[in-house]
């Protein structure tokens, strides 16, 4: 019986692994010791941090101002909604 994918009775071609190839144990990690892997990890972190585009002082100031302003507006909005719901609950439940 066949369907849109292929035959149910026969395995897919990518599922078949030749028996002549043996899987290596550990792969690339087995060649290095734990300290060398840790050193490589930290070198990669430093390399990635060098790629980061850091904001200038003016950009940082403007971004911080926008965030503080937005948080203040959200605090005010939640306070007003809470105040309104509090009075509505007191009105309904006495």
């Amino acid at each position: 019986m066949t369907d849109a994918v292929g035959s149910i009775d026969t395995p897919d071609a990518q599922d078949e692994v030749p028996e002549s190839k043996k899987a290596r144990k550990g792969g690339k990690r087995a060649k290095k010791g734990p300290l060398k892997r840790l050193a490589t990890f930290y070198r990669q972190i430093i390399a990635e941090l060098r790629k980061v585009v850091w904001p200038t002082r003016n950009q940082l100031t403007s971004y911080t101002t926008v965030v503080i302003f937005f948080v203040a507006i959200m605090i005010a909005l939640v306070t007003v909604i809470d105040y309104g719901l509090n009075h509505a609950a007191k009105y309904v439940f006495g």
Side-chain angles (χ1 to χ4, degrees):
M1 177 191 285
T2 61
D3 56 1
V5 177
S7 175
I8 295 175
D9 298 331
T10 60
D12 291 336
Q14 66 244 17
D15 292 342
E16 295 178 12
V17 178
E19 292 181 22
S20 62
K21 279 193 168 184
K22 293 184 180 178
R24 290 190 303 175
K25 289 187 178 180
K28 291 181 181 178
R29 292 187 183 189
K31 294 182 181 179
K32 295 181 182 178
L35 291 178
K36 285 192 177 189
R37 286 188 297 182
L38 190 62
T40 302
F41 176 70
Y42 283 119
R43 276 196 300 272
Q44 290 173 350
I45 289 174
I46 291 169
E48 287 298 322
L49 284 175
R50 287 186 179 140
K51 294 178 188 178
V52 174
V53 178
W54 298 99
T56 63
R57 184 176 293 273
N58 290 337
Q59 289 174 332
L60 188 62
T61 304
S62 66
Y63 295 159
T64 304
T65 304
V66 167
V67 168
I68 290 173
F69 185 70
F70 177 76
V71 169
I73 289 175
M74 292 308 294
I75 288 172
L77 182 65
V78 169
T79 302
V80 168
I81 291 171
D82 184 49
Y83 183 75
L85 289 175
N86 186 17
H87 280 288
K90 284 183 181 178
Y91 177 76
V92 170
F93 298 113

